[in-house]
Amino acid sequence: MLPSTFIKVITVKNLFPVILACFCFLFIMQNKAYAAHIVGGDVTYDCLGLDTLANGNVNIRLRIEFNMYRDNGGQGLGQGPGAGFDMPANFGVYRLSGNNVQHITTQTETIDINEEVEFDDSNPCISYPPQVGVDRALYSFDITLPLLTGPDDRYLISYQRCCRNQTIDNLVAPGETGAVFSIEITSLAMSICNDSPSFNNFPPVIICSGEDINFDHSANDAEGHQIFYEFCAPLTSGGTDGATTPGDPNSCTGVTPDPAGCPPPYDEVIFQLPNYSATNPMAGDPQITIDAITGLISGVPQLNGQFVVGVCAREIFNGQIMTVIRRDFQFNVATCTPNVVADIEPEPPATVGEINGTPTIITCGENIIPFEHVGSTDNVLSYYWEFDINGNLQTADTQSTTFEFPGPGSYSVLLVTNEGLTCEARDSFPVVIYPEVYADFSFDYDTCTAGPVMFIDSSFTDALNIVDLEWDFAGDQIQPGQDPESPDHVFGAPGNLPVKLIATDNNNCKDSITQIVPYFPVPNLIIIEPNTFVGCAPADIFFNNLSTPIDSTYDITWDFGDGEFGDEISPSHLYTDVGLYSVSVTIVSPLGCLVESFFSELITIEPKPTADFTFSPEMPNVFNKEVEFFDRSLGADAWQWDFSGEGFSNDPNPTYEFKDTGIYNVQLVVKHPEGCTDTLVRIIDIEPIVSYHMPNAFTPNGDATNDIFKGNGRFDGIEDFSFTIWNRWGEMVFESRDPFVGWNGTKNNSGQNSPAGVYVYEVNYSNPRGEEFNLQGHVTLLR
């Protein structure tokens, strides 16, 4: 697609009367029994005649027509959000005289006509959303009423119903606001058997923000009486009682108010002040108004949304208001987007740039240019291409076309889609074809010696001159201060290296060329690391080859001096024997160039120390945690002891007392005079020991000597302990789980004294290592 700054002329004629391309959100309603659905309505009457009765009284026969409108969300007749039309519906008939109101009757009527309102969707310039749809219900009935003659006498016929769409923007609590559609029949109208006016057109379901509404809301009057128009407040009655909330649905705040119980006068809807009112129902610039004489609604709405609008048409006869018809409807405002555009996009070799601030299609030396219309084609009925060749117009009629221009020069191209239709769209560009530019260069260098490669520019142009040369040496740029017409470059790595030159002329036309430079010299000097090494056997040494330029395409031979060889660029080699070694390296390039170096006595391998030690006692335990260590290492002159992280020593033969029982890893690191090390780790087990010994008699006489029978010894770490005592009849007289609790000679240490005699005991326990022990024996109780 071309950038938005390009010159585009899009003509969309008479766009307002059609439905816009996207307005889905307006018709999302709540799924409730009183669900918002009312979008408009009006009432009219016809006088069918006056009948004089035998008693001299006169009756008037009337035909009443109620038009009701609801949205169906584009889902078809009777579908979509909200409740359907009332079947049947109740219409109240009232007699008014001054401020007095009398309910005469309630007409219960079914629908005469139930249809989906058609709107013009034939314009190929607009896509019509599937969510748009309006149903119309016509309730029509005849009624005969006594003729009224008093100047202030009149009949009022009304229909009350809740609710409106909850998404309306200009009302307070619209989802709880009902609608009243009514008409008054005055005594003046009855006296001449007048027919009321009727509106000519129902407003469009959706109008366009930013566009003049320009809607004819006029009414037709069969008698030719004068009609004046004004915005007026829609009327409201009813609410949500009896739907999802408790209450009577036929109350004055219910979803279907009872005409007998809810007579006029009716309240006006409450507008969201101060932004909206009955006379200013929509935001606009200029403000939306209605012409009092023609009924033309005009103005430019600026805000998207839903807005309730009321229109009153007053029929005037002999200077008096004879009839007022009211229409209550909903304007849905959204952004209208034309469906058809003309959008030129040139394909390579052409590009789009700017010349003197004007978007222009440009080529350099190429006079055959493909063009394509890249806008939507869904509603495009025709294409018209026009190429202006110095006043000679040549045309094409396809979506895409390829045109051959005569050569360098200035021209123009025009695309018109749907020429002559309401959605005719245009796009045009100047076309400039510049002379061609040619990039070229040559190079020279020594193929075996690592050094600079010399480049010489030979680019030229049919225009005025070359103004810029841009070099890319396999990712490197030209060095500052070098002449771009003859630069030289030192490459850091060998290979078949791509060198690119871009030449730009005075018209900003560019050409590029890439050539491969086979750069495979050998290094001027072989450099390796380490440059000396002293270590202990075995020594694994990494030889880092820092020579440049080399890569894997070079043949490299290493002689490690111990009879072993290698062919990697930077190899690792293991020296296992003590000794002095010289190393040599030979490098041969893919072009056969050779360089070699010999590094005398580069590697010195010393003998490695051997770590070893013994310790005493060999089986330390909790009673003897101090251990002596004796160094048995070979070739060591430094020692570092690590007693499992608890302690450290640098003595060759240290003594260490461990803090607790357990398994310890004792590590000895010894060091050779040349810095070589060896490490040995041995496991020291400080064994935990539990000792438990039982006496053979006790005297529980309260003299504080030998009064308690229990075990003696070391109990640290004892587990799963149990201690029981039994008398000679096999009765257990004592039990304990605590090794520190003994028997005091009474039943369970709290009952009667046990008699003197011999008793049997049993002790079970486990030591910290999980080893189980069982002790059984006899104890003599003496009193």
Side-chain angles (χ1 to χ4, degrees):
M1 298 291 292
L2 297 180
S4 58
T5 54
F6 294 164
I7 300 173
K8 300 203 181 298
V9 180
I10 302 175
T11 304
V12 180
K13 304 176 181 177
N14 301 325
L15 179 62
F16 172 74
V18 300
I19 306 302
L20 80 169
C22 182
F23 202 69
C24 306
F25 72 92
L26 291 176
F27 301 95
I28 300 174
M29 307 302 170
Q30 294 190 5
N31 185 19
K32 298 182 179 179
Y34 66 96
H37 66 285
I38 297 172
V39 296
D42 56 65
V43 190
T44 61
Y45 70 85
D46 289 334
C47 179
L48 303 181
L50 300 174
D51 299 326
T52 302
L53 305 180
N55 61 4
N57 293 334
V58 179
N59 286 344
I60 183 169
R61 289 180 287 108
L62 299 170
R63 174 161 294 164
I64 311 298
E65 292 189 349
F66 279 79
N67 284 299
M68 288 290 298
Y69 298 90
R70 68 177 293 273
D71 61 66
N72 64 27
Q75 299 180 33
L77 182 64
Q79 303 300 313
F85 294 117
D86 289 336
M87 288 285 286
N90 294 322
F91 302 89
V93 181
Y94 309 91
R95 177 175 177 173
L96 284 66
S97 180
N99 293 328
N100 295 322
V101 178
Q102 177 188 1
H103 175 251
I104 297 176
T105 185
T106 296
Q107 291 285 129
T108 300
E109 302 292 339
T110 58
I111 295 175
D112 292 316
I113 299 175
N114 188 7
E115 63 185 5
E116 187 171 12
V117 176
E118 295 184 0
F119 59 86
D120 183 10
D121 60 355
S122 61
N123 193 319
C125 305
I126 300 296
S127 289
Y128 298 91
Q131 294 83 4
V132 175
V134 175
D135 292 344
R136 167 181 174 259
L138 172 64
Y139 298 91
S140 175
F141 59 88
D142 295 343
I143 187 170
T144 300
L145 299 169
L147 185 70
L148 303 178
T149 58
D152 203 24
D153 290 341
R154 59 204 184 279
Y155 291 111
L156 184 143
I157 303 177
S158 68
Y159 167 74
Q160 307 169 56
R161 183 65 159 88
C162 191
C163 291
R164 301 176 186 272
N165 285 331
Q166 300 189 53
T167 49
I168 291 171
D169 293 281
N170 62 347
L171 298 186
V172 176
E176 301 174 7
T177 301
V180 175
F181 302 104
S182 64
I183 193 166
E184 292 186 5
I185 306 168
T186 64
S187 58
L188 176 59
M190 288 185 275
S191 68
I192 62 172
C193 197
N194 179 66
D195 294 338
S196 72
S198 60
F199 291 110
N200 293 315
N201 303 302
F202 185 73
V205 177
I206 303 175
I207 60 178
C208 302
S209 63
E211 299 281 347
D212 195 331
I213 293 178
N214 197 35
F215 171 64
D216 179 6
H217 201 282
S218 63
N220 176 62
D221 184 72
E223 293 86 0
H225 297 150
Q226 191 174 16
I227 301 175
F228 291 94
Y229 305 92
E230 65 179 350
F231 285 143
C232 57
L235 303 178
T236 179
S237 177
T240 60
D241 288 354
T244 61
T245 58
D248 182 0
N250 302 125
S251 69
C252 294
T253 56
V255 293
T256 54
D258 180 7
C262 303
Y266 303 109
D267 293 333
E268 296 180 349
V269 298
I270 302 175
F271 282 91
Q272 293 272 12
L273 298 175
N275 295 327
Y276 305 102
S277 65
T279 56
N280 181 27
M282 302 169 64
D285 184 17
Q287 179 176 316
I288 282 72
T289 60
I290 185 169
D291 190 284
I293 304 301
T294 65
L296 181 69
I297 297 178
S298 60
V300 180
Q302 300 294 331
L303 298 179
N304 290 356
Q306 292 180 291
F307 305 92
V308 168
V309 179
V311 172
C312 291
R314 304 181 185 277
E315 180 185 12
I316 307 300
F317 177 67
N318 289 338
Q320 298 183 60
I321 297 176
M322 184 163 53
T323 304
V324 178
I325 60 172
R326 310 171 66 97
R327 172 176 276 170
D328 174 343
F329 60 92
Q330 177 179 295
F331 267 155
N332 301 319
V333 182
T335 301
C336 297
T337 303
N339 210 19
V340 177
V341 296
D343 198 347
I344 297 174
E345 181 168 300
E347 297 183 3
T351 59
V352 178
E354 284 194 3
I355 298 179
N356 298 324
T358 301
T360 304
I361 296 173
I362 300 170
T363 71
C364 295
E366 298 287 346
N367 62 335
I368 300 177
I369 304 177
F371 295 91
E372 184 176 6
H373 164 62
V374 294
S376 172
T377 61
D378 291 344
N379 297 295
V380 177
L381 304 181
S382 66
Y383 298 92
Y384 173 77
W385 295 87
E386 183 178 279
F387 300 93
D388 187 348
I389 311 300
N390 302 321
N392 179 23
L393 303 182
Q394 300 184 39
T395 64
D397 59 3
T398 54
Q399 177 185 347
S400 59
T401 185
T402 298
F403 188 79
E404 183 175 357
F405 293 89
S410 298
Y411 313 97
S412 66
V413 58
L414 167 69
L415 170 62
V416 183
T417 56
N418 290 353
E419 184 178 18
L421 301 179
T422 58
C423 55
E424 175 184 295
R426 294 169 174 259
D427 191 15
S428 63
F429 285 93
V431 178
V432 173
I433 299 177
Y434 287 124
E436 193 168 2
V437 61
Y438 305 90
D440 197 11
F441 68 89
S442 58
F443 57 89
D444 188 25
Y445 69 105
D446 187 328
T447 57
C448 279
T449 302
V453 179
M454 295 173 289
F455 295 89
I456 300 175
D457 167 60
S458 54
S459 306
F460 67 96
T461 178
D462 293 333
L464 184 62
N465 60 327
I466 301 291
V467 298
D468 184 60
L469 296 170
E470 182 181 347
W471 293 89
D472 183 336
F473 303 110
D476 295 331
Q477 306 304 311
I478 190 173
Q479 294 297 314
Q482 287 196 351
D483 182 0
E485 295 186 3
S486 57
D488 56 44
H489 185 74
V490 177
F491 293 97
N496 290 305
L497 304 177
V499 176
K500 182 178 181 180
L501 172 63
I502 301 175
T504 304
D505 70 8
N506 60 291
N507 293 321
N508 202 37
C509 288
K510 300 177 182 293
D511 186 36
S512 66
I513 184 174
T514 299
Q515 297 190 53
I516 301 300
V517 177
Y519 184 73
F520 295 98
V522 292
N524 293 324
L525 178 65
I526 296 179
I527 302 173
I528 65 172
E529 287 182 347
N531 54 17
T532 185
F533 177 87
V534 177
C536 299
D540 192 0
I541 302 174
F542 172 69
F543 293 94
N544 189 12
N545 193 341
L546 303 178
S547 312
T548 59
I550 56 173
D551 63 12
S552 60
T553 63
Y554 285 65
D555 290 331
I556 301 176
T557 302
W558 291 80
D559 183 344
F560 300 113
D562 61 350
E564 300 291 334
F565 298 87
D567 59 3
E568 299 177 15
I569 293 178
S570 297
S572 292
H573 183 67
L574 180 65
Y575 288 90
T576 58
D577 298 329
V578 174
L580 192 64
Y581 301 95
S582 298
V583 177
S584 65
V585 183
T586 302
I587 300 175
V588 179
S589 77
L591 301 181
C593 304
L594 181 145
V595 63
E596 58 184 349
S597 290
F598 180 77
F599 302 93
S600 177
E601 299 182 352
L602 179 69
I603 306 299
T604 301
I605 305 299
E606 299 284 352
K608 180 181 178 180
T610 301
D612 193 15
F613 66 89
T614 60
F615 57 89
S616 178
E618 294 184 356
M619 300 180 65
N621 56 48
V622 68
F623 301 111
N624 186 10
K625 296 185 289 185
E626 185 176 270
V627 180
E628 292 183 273
F629 294 91
F630 306 99
D631 175 52
R632 298 291 184 263
S633 304
L634 299 177
D637 71 344
W639 301 262
Q640 182 176 339
W641 296 85
D642 181 347
F643 303 109
S644 205
E646 287 188 353
F648 303 90
S649 176
N650 296 116
D651 295 337
N653 301 294
T655 297
Y656 183 75
E657 182 175 356
F658 292 90
K659 297 179 181 180
D660 202 352
T661 61
I663 304 298
Y664 294 87
N665 293 317
V666 176
Q667 174 180 281
L668 171 62
V669 179
V670 295
K671 192 173 184 181
H672 186 273
E674 296 297 334
C676 304
T677 63
D678 190 31
T679 301
L680 176 65
V681 175
R682 294 193 188 280
I683 296 175
I684 307 297
D685 183 6
I686 308 298
E687 182 181 3
I689 297 177
V690 173
S691 63
Y692 194 93
H693 310 287
M694 299 294 288
N696 57 11
F698 75 114
T699 59
N701 54 13
D703 62 357
T705 301
N706 200 24
D707 284 337
I708 303 298
F709 175 61
K710 63 178 181 178
N712 299 307
R714 182 182 179 90
F715 302 160
D716 289 350
I718 195 169
E719 297 179 356
D720 301 327
F721 178 83
S722 70
F723 175 25
T724 56
I725 299 177
W726 309 78
N727 62 22
R728 60 182 178 173
W729 296 283
E731 179 186 9
M732 185 172 67
V733 297
F734 175 75
E735 181 181 19
S736 175
R737 299 290 179 179
D738 187 342
F740 294 97
V741 175
W743 184 38
N744 65 8
T746 66
K747 182 73 173 290
N748 293 325
N749 274 8
S750 61
Q752 296 180 347
N753 287 333
S754 297
V758 177
Y759 293 81
V760 176
Y761 67 83
E762 183 177 14
V763 176
N764 292 283
Y765 65 89
S766 298
N767 68 12
R769 298 286 173 87
E771 185 179 359
E772 297 180 352
F773 295 87
N774 176 261
L775 302 179
Q776 296 180 1
H778 298 83
V779 60
T780 301
L781 188 157
L782 301 174
R783 290 194 181 273

